[in-house]
């Protein structure tokens, strides 16, 4: 398992850079106890969600859902809409990257007969994951990091993000209407069959408890202990299925940002230069560096609640701004190597439209509506 984590870190350049930067920062800003920068509740929430998602996946829940819904559809548009909406509505519970990695392979299977349709649907599906996950901070590393750093309650978070979430859903729905009605390639077969409805019920119960912990209704330690105990008793192999690189990433982000925040001159310079432009600055920089490094930088110079909206919108645009975009690009390239450039262009077109529309709504339309 350790070797798998190391291999994954080597594959993800941004993760490797953040991890290296965190280690280097410890040299220049010595701290007697690194755990002072790490929020254990946040790590507990993230681990619980990843373990529950792995449990549901290994028990064939997602295969069963897709098998029972997609196979009933008569053409590419209806099948694609089902897959896109499944991605959108499951992303808050299994993370944006989890939703893409679960449902995008089904999309390739169903729509591979028409590559142009597949390219558009994959781009839209990835955007759906990035927008759908925003309703819960635990579904995205950037949101989870900011949720803790800005010390927000869930009601404050929802007040900021809910209008953008609803607008994102409506825009995704409109874009679905442009999917051409072409025949589907074939039916979906179950790679994993549902082994135990009893296990599935328990995992869904734990997921509900995890959501309650995110919104602050119950204690996170209780949920974390419950998840660990259930997995140990029922399916210990689930521990090996958890994507620990996400946890490593969050821990590295906490350490790096915590160390940088101790350098008063540096944080003062960031605030002076970027303080009034943190929202827009993060959207622009994320297109060049990815959303994670960008949000770390701007979290040093701004504590405005709107920064959490910016962190979610920054996943739209260029393909390298989000892990989901990189994943679907690689997946499409493996099946259709000659179509990679077309996919990047389609991804940018979809992302740029959604980013521009949601930015204008958030900056100009929503304030007027709330004022009235």
């Amino acid at each position: 398992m350790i070797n798998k984590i190391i291999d994954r870190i080597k594959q993800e350049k941004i993760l490797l850079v953040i991890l290296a930067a965190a280690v280097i920062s410890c040299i220049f800003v010595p701290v007697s106890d690194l755990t002072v920068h790490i929020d254990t509740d946040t790590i507990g929430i993230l681990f619980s969600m990843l373990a529950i998602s792995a449990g549901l996946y290994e028990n064939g829940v997602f295969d069963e859902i897709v098998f029972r819904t997609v196979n009933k559809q008569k053409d590419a548009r209806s099948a694609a809409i089902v897959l896109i909406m499944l991605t959108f509505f499951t992303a808050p519970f299994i993370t944006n990257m989890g939703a893409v990695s679960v449902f995008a392979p089904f999309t390739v299977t169903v729509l591979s007969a028409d590559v142009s349709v597949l390219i558009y649907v994959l781009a839209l599906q990835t955007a759906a994951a990035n927008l759908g996950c925003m309703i819960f901070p635990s579904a995205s590393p950037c949101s989870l990091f900011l949720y803790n750093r800005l010390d927000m309650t869930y009601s404050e978070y929802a007040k900021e993000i809910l209008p953008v979430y609803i607008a994102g859903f409506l825009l995704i729905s409109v874009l679905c209407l442009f999917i051409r009605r072409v025949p589907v390639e074939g039916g979906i077969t179950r790679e994993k069959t549902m082994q135990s409805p009893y296990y599935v019920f328990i995992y869904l119960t734990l997921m509900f408890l995890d959501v309650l912990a995110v919104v602050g209704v119950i204690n996170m330690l209780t949920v974390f202990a419950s998840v660990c105990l259930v997995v140990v008793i029922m399916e210990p192999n689930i521990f090996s299925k958890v994507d620990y690189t996400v946890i490593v990433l969050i821990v590295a982000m906490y350490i790096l940002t915590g160390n940088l925040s101790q350098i008063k001159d540096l944080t003062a310079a960031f605030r002076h230069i970027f303080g009034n432009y943190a929202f827009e600055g993060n959207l622009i920089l994320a297109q060049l560096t990815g959303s994670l490094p960008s949000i770390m930088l701007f979290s040093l110079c701004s504590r405005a609640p709107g920064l959490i909206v910016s962190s979610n919108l920054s996943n739209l645009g260029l393909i390298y701004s989000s892990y989901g975009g990189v994943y679907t690009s690689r997946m499409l390239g493996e099946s259709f190597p000659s179509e990679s450039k077309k996919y990047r262009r389609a991804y940018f077109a979809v992302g740029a439209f959604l980013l521009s529309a949601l930015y204008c709504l958030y900056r100009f339309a929503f304030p007027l509506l709330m004022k009235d």
Side-chain angles (χ1 to χ4, degrees):
M1 186 171 66
I2 298 297
N3 290 334
K4 287 172 60 178
I5 296 174
I6 294 173
D7 290 341
R8 173 71 183 278
I9 290 173
K10 289 178 180 179
Q11 292 173 6
E12 302 294 345
K13 294 180 181 179
I14 293 177
L15 175 56
L16 187 61
V17 169
I18 292 176
L19 190 60
V23 173
I24 293 171
S25 70
C26 293
I27 299 173
F28 293 96
V29 187
V31 179
S32 57
D33 184 7
L34 288 176
T35 60
V36 298
H37 297 320
I38 302 170
D39 183 82
T40 53
D41 281 352
T42 298
I43 301 301
I45 288 173
L46 183 60
F47 172 81
S48 299
M49 178 171 283
L50 293 172
I52 294 166
S53 300
L56 291 172
Y57 178 79
E58 291 300 315
N59 279 275
V61 172
F62 304 118
D63 286 71
E64 188 70 23
I65 291 172
V66 173
F67 178 81
R68 290 182 177 275
T69 55
V70 175
N71 280 347
K72 296 179 180 180
Q73 310 309 313
K74 303 299 183 182
D75 56 51
R77 179 190 289 180
S78 57
I81 289 175
V82 170
L83 287 164
I84 289 168
M85 292 305 165
L86 283 173
T87 304
F88 184 90
F89 288 111
T90 59
F93 306 101
I94 63 175
T95 74
N96 53 349
M97 186 58 197
V100 169
S101 61
V102 166
F103 294 109
F106 291 115
T107 302
V108 174
T109 300
V110 172
L111 302 178
S112 58
D114 193 313
V115 181
S116 61
V117 173
L118 173 62
I119 286 173
Y120 177 68
V121 172
L122 270 183
L124 193 53
Q125 188 175 29
T126 309
N130 288 329
L131 292 175
C133 76
M134 69 170 64
I135 197 64
F136 284 141
S138 53
S140 163
C142 288
S143 294
L144 190 60
F145 171 75
L146 281 177
Y147 184 68
N148 165 256
R149 184 162 179 81
L150 301 181
D151 196 25
M152 303 177 78
T153 63
Y154 184 73
S155 61
E156 293 171 335
Y157 177 90
K159 181 180 178 181
E160 197 71 28
I161 211 75
L162 189 58
V164 183
Y165 174 79
I166 295 172
F169 169 73
L170 295 175
L171 288 170
I172 289 288
S173 300
V174 171
L175 291 179
C176 284
L177 300 178
F178 292 92
I179 301 171
R180 291 191 291 112
R181 293 185 182 275
V182 297
V184 296
E185 174 68 15
I188 294 291
T189 58
R190 299 182 183 95
E191 291 187 7
K192 294 179 179 293
T193 56
M194 192 175 294
Q195 299 296 322
S196 171
Y198 174 70
Y199 281 10
V200 172
F201 174 77
I202 292 177
Y203 281 123
L204 290 175
T205 301
L206 290 173
M207 179 174 285
F208 177 69
L209 295 177
D210 200 49
V211 170
L212 292 181
V214 171
V215 301
V217 175
I218 59 177
N219 184 271
M220 184 58 241
L221 181 60
T222 303
V223 178
F224 174 74
S226 300
V227 171
C228 290
L229 181 62
V230 166
V231 172
V232 166
I233 294 173
M234 291 197 325
E235 297 182 297
N237 64 303
I238 294 299
F239 285 115
S240 66
K241 307 296 182 180
V242 174
D243 186 0
Y244 291 99
T245 55
V246 180
I247 298 175
V248 172
L249 175 62
I250 288 289
V251 170
M253 288 175 66
Y254 278 133
I255 293 174
L256 176 59
T257 308
N259 286 342
L260 291 179
S261 65
Q262 302 302 309
I263 308 174
K264 303 303 180 184
D265 291 341
L266 180 63
T267 55
F270 281 158
R271 292 192 187 98
H272 178 71
I273 298 171
F274 301 113
N276 295 327
Y277 309 100
F279 190 100
E280 288 78 8
N282 177 63
L283 292 179
I284 296 170
L285 185 61
Q287 305 305 311
L288 305 175
T289 66
S291 55
L292 290 169
S294 177
I295 206 61
M296 281 196 305
L297 172 64
F298 286 101
S299 69
L300 293 172
C301 62
S302 175
R303 300 187 70 84
L307 195 59
I308 207 147
V309 176
S310 178
S311 75
N312 282 282
L313 296 186
S314 66
N315 287 315
L316 305 170
L318 294 175
I319 202 164
Y320 294 105
S321 64
S322 79
Y323 280 109
V326 173
Y327 175 85
T328 50
S329 178
R330 287 176 181 170
M331 186 178 63
L332 182 76
E334 290 174 0
S335 300
F336 305 96
S338 62
E339 305 296 333
S340 295
K341 289 184 179 179
K342 288 183 181 178
Y343 181 68
R344 286 195 291 270
R345 289 196 293 267
Y347 185 93
F348 175 73
V350 169
F353 168 76
L354 291 169
L355 176 58
S356 301
L358 291 172
Y359 173 79
C360 291
L361 288 170
Y362 178 78
R363 277 305 204 193
F364 306 115
F366 293 160
L368 291 175
L369 292 173
M370 293 177 183
K371 184 177 181 180
D372 294 338

